[in-house]
């Protein structure tokens, strides 16, 4: 049993390192002269600044509906994941916005926590569903996994934009904001599973 746990941990660590390499942005693109734009009232800048709040919103919903989520998979620590998402919202804001153009430990913590949560909510939940532990409507699961794939694509594009010889701030912010759209999709999926907004009366509705 311990061997299987170690093998699973090693596999997740390898996946996390590979993902970090794919989505890691160039630190030199975090230019201090762009800070005024990041804190401006431009719609893209406003969306970028507040997009990190989606993590905390999704986390609060998980905490609120933890019992309901356990009816779909009792083997997942939904409360722990919810608290981690709440923390990630603050860490993402501090790393992506508050410390823009400035050295900060939040810039190192943000991608580590974000990638760990992505693996937990993406590949791990997907695997648990395939194994029959996480039983949800196929449409909800397909929507969520498609959203994870698109979010990862957006994060990779944001990293790619930061590594250009002449990076453009608007391009980086747009792709990064799309990456932060994933927790808002999580909000929809959590509410859908909690109240069966789309699948009311189906075989998946729980008492």
């Amino acid at each position: 049993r311990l061997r299987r746990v170690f093998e699973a941990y090693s596999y997740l660590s390898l996946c996390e390192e590979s993902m970090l390499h794919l989505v890691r942005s160039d630190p030199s693109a975090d230019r201090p002269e762009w800070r005024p734009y990041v804190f401006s009232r431009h719609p893209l800048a406003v969306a970028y600044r507040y997009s990190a709040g989606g993590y905390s919103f999704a986390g609060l919903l998980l905490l609120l509906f933890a019992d309901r989520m356990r009816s779909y998979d009792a083997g997942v620590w939904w409360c722990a994941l919810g608290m981690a998402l709440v923390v990630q919202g603050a860490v993402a804001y501090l790393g992506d916005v508050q410390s823009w153009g400035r050295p900060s430990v939040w810039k190192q913590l943000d991608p580590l926590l974000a990638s760990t949560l992505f693996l937990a909510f993406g590949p791990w939940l997907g695997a648990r569903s395939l194994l029959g532990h996480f039983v949800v409507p196929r449409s909800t699961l397909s929507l969520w996994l498609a959203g994870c794939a698109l979010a990862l694509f957006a994060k990779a594009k944001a990293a790619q934009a930061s590594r250009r010889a002449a990076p453009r701030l608007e391009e980086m912010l747009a792709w990064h904001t799309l990456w932060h759209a994933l927790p808002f999709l999580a909000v929809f999926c959590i509410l859908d599973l909690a109240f069966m907004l789309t699948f009311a009366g189906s075989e998946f509705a729980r008492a």
Side-chain angles (χ1 to χ4, degrees):
R1 188 181 184 86
L2 287 176
R3 180 180 178 182
R4 279 188 290 178
V5 171
F6 177 76
E7 289 175 349
Y9 176 78
S10 300
Y11 175 73
L12 287 175
S13 297
L14 179 61
C15 289
E16 183 174 13
E17 182 60 32
S18 299
M19 190 173 73
L20 281 175
H21 177 74
L22 174 68
V23 302
R24 186 177 287 117
S25 298
D26 185 352
S28 64
D30 191 359
R31 299 178 180 179
E33 60 266 27
W34 284 340
R35 188 175 172 86
Y37 180 91
V38 172
F39 286 90
S40 72
R41 294 184 179 180
H42 190 282
L44 177 58
V46 173
Y48 173 77
R49 290 200 305 274
Y50 289 101
S51 62
Y55 289 105
S56 295
F57 188 23
L60 289 173
L61 286 180
L62 268 187
L63 291 173
L64 181 62
F65 298 116
D67 289 339
R68 184 67 171 175
M69 296 303 295
R70 276 193 285 271
S71 71
Y72 294 101
D73 190 343
V76 175
W77 295 352
W78 295 109
C79 285
L81 290 176
M83 288 186 288
L85 281 172
V86 172
V87 171
Q88 173 58 22
V91 172
Y93 182 85
L94 292 170
D96 293 336
V97 180
Q98 190 61 38
S99 60
W100 183 281
R102 300 173 178 175
S104 172
V105 66
W106 302 113
K107 295 181 185 296
Q108 283 73 49
L109 292 178
D110 176 29
L112 289 175
L113 181 56
S115 61
T116 300
L117 287 172
F118 181 87
L119 287 172
F121 283 100
W124 186 53
L125 281 185
R128 290 187 65 82
S129 178
L130 290 174
L131 293 173
H133 302 304
F134 183 47
V135 183
V136 295
R138 288 185 181 179
S139 298
T140 302
L141 181 64
S142 298
L143 175 65
W144 174 245
L145 293 180
C148 288
L150 289 174
L152 185 59
F153 173 77
K155 186 65 177 76
K157 292 293 290 184
Q160 183 184 57
S162 74
R163 293 192 291 265
R164 297 187 190 281
R168 294 189 298 114
L169 176 60
E170 292 85 355
E171 183 184 12
M172 291 190 301
L173 294 189
W175 283 116
H176 200 93
T177 302
L178 286 175
W179 156 250
H180 280 174
L182 184 62
F184 291 99
L185 177 60
V187 168
F188 171 80
C189 291
I190 293 168
L191 290 175
D192 184 42
L193 292 174
F195 295 110
M196 287 293 115
L197 297 178
T198 305
F199 305 98
S202 74
E203 63 177 313
F204 297 97
R206 308 300 175 92

